[in-house]
Amino acid sequence: MTATLSRAAWPEVPAAGALVLVPVGSTEQHGPHLPFTTDTVIARAVADRVAARLPGPVLVAPAISFGNSGEHADFPGTISIGHEALRLVIVETVRSLTLWARRVVFVNGHGGNVRTLDDAVAMLRSEGHHVAWTPCVFPGGDAHAGRSETSVMLHLVPDEVRLSAAAAGDTRPLAALMPQLVKGGVRSVAPNGVLGDPAGADAGEGRALLDELVGDTARRVVAFTPDRRGRLT
C-alpha cells in the first residue's frame, strides 16, 4: 500500500509497520524565475515517486515547507524558521510518527536544512527511533536556481516557471562562494538570487535528472544504512 497521508482517512493507515517519507523543503527565493516553493515541490515529487517504487506499506506525509533559510533573508518573501525551530519540528514529528510507524525517512530538498537534519536525526537515533534522511541533490548541478533546478521545475510545474525572466547569477563553484555566503548571505554574491545559470534548462532534462534521483533515493531507502549522522548512504 502506498498512500498520501494528507488524503487518507485514519482506518486506511496501518497501526504498525509503515514506512513514512517526510518531504522537507523551504519557502525561499529562487531567483526571478522560480517560485518560493521550489525546494518543497522537488522534495515532495521525489518522495511521491520513491513511495510508488517501494513495497508497502509506505505513506508520504505532508511536506515541512518552512526551513532554515537565513541566507536568503534579504529577499522579500522568504520565510525562514531557523535551525532551532526546524530541529524541534523534526524531533517532535518523529516522536509522533513512531508511535505507529516502523521507520521514518526525511527527503530533504534544501541545503540549508542539512545541519539541522544531521543534528536532529542523530539525536533521535540515539533515542532508539528508526529514522534517517536523504538529500535531493542533482549530480553536477549548480547550487541554486540554475539549470538543474529550473529543468526539474519545467518538468514538474511548467506553469510556475517564468523562463523569460531567467538570468545567470554567480556561476562560481559553491565552495568558492561559501565564505562570502556565510558572512553576507546570497544577496551579497548574487543580487538576483541565482547561484548558477539557468540557460538551456529543459523539461526533458529535468525529467531525466528527477528519474535518476528517484532511483538512487529508492535504493538508499530500501538499503536503509544510515551513517553516524543519520544520512542514508
Side-chain angles (χ1 to χ4, degrees), residues 87 95 119-131 228:
R87 181 182 181 277
R95 288 173 176 168
D119 186 11
V121 172
M123 190 203 75
L124 287 161
R125 289 181 61 78
S126 74
E127 292 181 357
H129 298 286
H130 294 289
V131 57
R228 61 182 179 80

Side-chain angles (χ1 to χ4, degrees), residues 96-145:
S96 177
L97 285 172
T98 53
L99 294 175
W100 53 268
R102 175 175 55 92
R103 284 179 175 172
V104 178
V105 175
F106 291 94
V107 179
N108 178 48
H110 171 50
N113 297 337
V114 167
R115 178 172 71 97
T116 308
L117 283 160
D118 278 346
D119 186 11
V121 172
M123 190 203 75
L124 287 161
R125 289 181 61 78
S126 74
E127 292 181 357
H129 298 286
H130 294 289
V131 57
W133 75 273
T134 188
C136 298
V137 176
F138 302 108
D142 32 22
H144 184 75

Side-chain angles (χ1 to χ4, degrees), residues 62 68 90 120 148 188:
N68 185 12
I90 291 167
S148 297
S188 69

Side-chain angles (χ1 to χ4, degrees), residues 21-200:
L21 304 178
V22 185
V24 188
S26 69
T27 302
E28 66 182 36
Q29 71 82 25
H30 274 75
H33 64 295
L34 294 179
F36 284 88
T37 56
T38 293
D39 291 338
T40 307
V41 168
I42 292 173
R44 184 185 295 118
V46 172
D48 286 341
R49 286 158 174 77
V50 167
R53 295 191 182 198
L54 300 180
V58 184
L59 297 166
V60 179
I64 297 173
S65 58
F66 296 146
N68 185 12
S69 302
E71 68 275 17
H72 298 276
D74 288 338
F75 294 88
T78 294
I79 304 173
S80 173
I81 62 173
H83 170 73
E84 291 298 335
L86 179 61
R87 181 182 181 277
L88 184 59
V89 169
I90 291 167
V91 167
E92 294 303 328
T93 295
V94 171
R95 288 173 176 168
S96 177
L97 285 172
T98 53
L99 294 175
W100 53 268
R102 175 175 55 92
R103 284 179 175 172
V104 178
V105 175
F106 291 94
V107 179
N108 178 48
H110 171 50
N113 297 337
V114 167
R115 178 172 71 97
T116 308
L117 283 160
D118 278 346
D119 186 11
V121 172
M123 190 203 75
L124 287 161
R125 289 181 61 78
S126 74
E127 292 181 357
H129 298 286
H130 294 289
V131 57
W133 75 273
T134 188
C136 298
V137 176
F138 302 108
D142 32 22
H144 184 75
R147 177 167 175 160
S148 297
E149 278 191 321
T150 303
S151 293
V152 173
M153 291 296 280
L154 282 170
H155 168 55
L156 292 173
V157 286
D159 291 345
E160 297 183 23
V161 178
R162 300 152 182 84
L163 204 55
S164 62
D170 196 315
T171 59
R172 288 177 291 167
L174 185 58
L177 296 173
M178 192 56 72
Q180 184 60 36
L181 283 175
V182 171
K183 181 180 178 180
V186 172
R187 195 155 203 164
S188 69
V189 298
N192 70 348
V194 178
L195 304 179
D197 187 353

